Amino acid sequence: MSTDISKSHRLKRTVLSLGGFIIVTLLTFIGLMAITFFIGRVIPIDPVLSIVGDRATQEQYDTVRLALGLDRPLIIQFISYIGDVFQGELGHSISTNRPVASDLLKVFPATLEMATLGIVIGVGVGVPLGVWAAAYHGTWIDQIIRVFALLGYSVPAFWLGLVGLVVFYANLGWVSGPGRVDIFYEGLVEPRTGLLLIDSALAGDWDVFWNALDHLILPASILAFFSVAYIARMTRSFMLDQLGQEYITTARAKGVAEWRVIWTHGFRPIRVPLITVIGLSYAALLEGSVMIETVFSWPGIGNYLTVALLNADMNAVLGATLVIGAVFILINRISDVLYRVLDPRSR
Amino acid sequence: MSTAKEWLLDQSPSSKLQASMGSSYRMMRQLVRNPLAVIGILILLILVLAAIFAPIIAPHSPMGQNLGARLLPPSTEYWMGTDELGRDIFSRIIYGARITLVIVTLVAVISAPLGLLIGAISGYFGGWTDKVLMGITDVFLSMPKLILALAFVAALGPGIENAIIAIAITSWPAYARISRAETLTFRNSEFISAMRLLGASHARIITRHILPLCTSSVIVRVTLDMAGIILTAAGLGFLGLGAQPPLPEWGAMISRGRTFILDQWWVATMPGFAIILVSLGFCFLGDGLRDVLDPKQRGS
């Protein structure tokens, strides 16, 4: 009987917290849209003038103004803007002459592919580095890893990209240069997921696969550098907290092997907080890809955004901002929820 | 000398001045014990000196073109080589220190007080004021900073002033969060109630009694954020949205050098070293300051 009650209670709590999650996420999305709406409709002194140009007649001006719905009150405009966004209507891009939404759908996989490989490298290198630094706390190994991690906060991504291109592409010739694949491999594989590595592997076209990987590895590694820095720093600090606990001393006193103390006793408890860190880092990579993509002519959302910026293509700029912002918020929220689900203490 | 030290370290200071000088002296002593913090201070000192004495330090004019000396590699005459218009890169980097300094100072001066005030008001009044203000803050916090700054610059138009405004708009929310959290810890303390009983207005309590107590944690955070602010400003310059040519802004210089990166590597790489050095300086100092001013968060 009592288990029944606690079960229904737990269910109720899960539903409630899920509802809370959805409401908070939705509110944040609406806040995000309020910002892009503000940037697009309120800051420009006259959005009509930027479309028709200053030599338009009064009639032309009025038609465009009506077509944009600018004669309505601001709040009505905002509500219809939210409606448009939820229907995937982000306006027309003046630089590609296509709907912004379909443009974004086309470029997003390229960014996702790079950021995903980036986070894989970031976790694979950053976590062991952080654990290593904590295990050798206070020695020169720790110091080197600490300074390396601080470099991650101080090196401009675009500069590191340029240096990487010069060293690994131009001088050493280890990797391929800018772009996603060599020009004669372009369009060979039918885009199913948009992720070139997966598409080419599915099609069994290994030439394209290796060529794409060759192009991807350098920008992804440079992007990964920034998450390595962040993840290593956080892992180190979590590990130091754990290794200072009394049960670790007990384990050591018992004569447990040092690697077991570190990986089993020390590392296991920090896996849950690390998930949040990795989530934050993944979201930050999507942001960092803007600069890297520009340097590597990578046809992703970052490149799309910067091209739009230089052409003052506001619909495309705001559309890309919305999508990056939405993904950023979503990843953050999900890692937050994961943390709560996985860590019983936070319930 | 020893009397000055005694005066500073006096346990029962006789004036407000003596007390505040004494506590800053103690903080400085603690700070200089941290070697990385000292390196940070030295780097920032170099930055400030370079900015002030740029005309004396720089061997050449930052704008003067000399087409006979285009794209020369680093030499004793041109320490860091010359760019595509024959301008000395070292001199341009020295003058660029002024731009960097102006950007970080203005961003800090705009965003820190704004964040402090919003956070303090939010924490002090609580209720709906708190909910609305923190709702806005959270929306800004949940957005990627660089993207938001890019979008604001896109709307405002390229230029160094707009870049500063855009970066400031994206920086204040973190400070608002911090100062709200600090305010909450002492909004119900006795000294606040005492001030209220004495008839002090809300504005007076906030500006005279709450803000000063939030300042130190916000200063730590601002210093730690400086590296990010410099990188964002350089990124905007690199994309052509920040400082406009011929201003010797470091990010814009890297962008110009991109064209020649394969043959004349120094044009794009040299300004990058300046950015890294200054950002690292702020990181080191911020880490040291946190240990001194905010011991609670040490090690995180």
Side-chain angles (χ1 to χ4, degrees), chain B residues 112-272:
Chain B
L114 189 68
L116 262 172
L117 199 64
I118 290 177
I121 290 175
S122 186
Y124 177 75
F125 289 110
W128 275 103
T129 322
D130 185 33
K131 281 210 178 84
V132 171
L133 287 179
M134 281 304 117
I136 298 173
T137 308
D138 279 347
V139 168
F140 273 90
L141 270 183
S142 63
M143 284 283 294
K145 270 180 161 182
L146 176 69
I147 308 291
L148 202 57
L150 283 177
F152 269 108
V153 174
L156 293 167
I160 192 164
E161 303 87 2
N162 291 341
I164 291 170
I165 295 172
I167 298 172
I169 290 176
T170 57
S171 309
W172 66 267
Y175 314 139
R177 269 270 163 221
I178 293 170
S179 78
R180 173 179 177 270
E182 292 274 320
T183 308
L184 284 183
T185 59
F186 51 75
R187 64 176 284 207
N188 293 324
S189 336
E190 278 158 10
F191 74 95
I192 300 281
S193 323
M195 285 316 295
R196 252 187 232 153
L197 282 175
L198 284 172
S201 65
H202 290 312
R204 189 184 167 90
I205 293 178
I206 289 176
T207 52
R208 289 294 191 78
H209 301 279
I210 291 183
L211 287 185
L213 288 170
C214 304
T215 319
S216 68
S217 15
V218 169
I219 287 178
V220 171
R221 183 61 198 257
V222 170
T223 317
L224 286 170
D225 277 0
M226 280 300 171
I229 290 169
I230 292 174
L231 293 189
T232 311
L236 290 175
F238 178 75
L239 294 176
L241 298 165
Q244 299 295 309
L247 279 182
E249 197 271 325
W250 297 339
M253 286 170 72
I254 296 178
S255 163
R256 301 285 297 239
R258 211 180 139 185
T259 332
F260 321 104
I261 186 82
L262 293 182
D263 298 311
Q264 285 89 20
W265 54 269
W266 56 88
V267 184
T269 38
M270 291 303 181

Side-chain angles (χ1 to χ4, degrees), chain A residues 139-200:
Chain A
T139 65
W140 59 272
I141 295 177
D142 185 27
Q143 290 298 339
I144 289 176
I145 294 174
R146 245 184 107 177
V147 171
F148 177 77
L150 278 181
L151 271 180
Y153 293 80
S154 323
V155 178
F158 52 93
W159 181 85
L160 198 64
L162 286 172
V163 172
L165 265 181
V166 171
V167 174
F168 295 105
Y169 165 62
N171 287 346
L172 295 172
W174 288 358
V175 293
S176 301
R180 251 182 128 183
V181 280
D182 286 348
I183 215 154
F184 38 87
Y185 284 126
E186 245 166 57
L188 280 187
V189 180
E190 180 201 349
R192 275 182 247 187
T193 58
L195 304 167
L196 205 53
L197 287 183
I198 294 179
D199 283 345
S200 56

Side-chain angles (χ1 to χ4, degrees), chain B residues 83-124:
Chain B
D83 67 7
E84 79 281 9
L85 295 173
R87 297 174 294 195
D88 179 38
I89 293 175
F90 178 69
S91 307
R92 284 176 68 76
I93 288 179
I94 295 291
Y95 274 91
R98 290 184 165 179
I99 298 174
T100 303
L101 208 59
V102 166
I103 292 175
V104 294
T105 314
L106 282 181
V107 170
V109 165
I110 298 170
S111 63
L114 189 68
L116 262 172
L117 199 64
I118 290 177
I121 290 175
S122 186
Y124 177 75

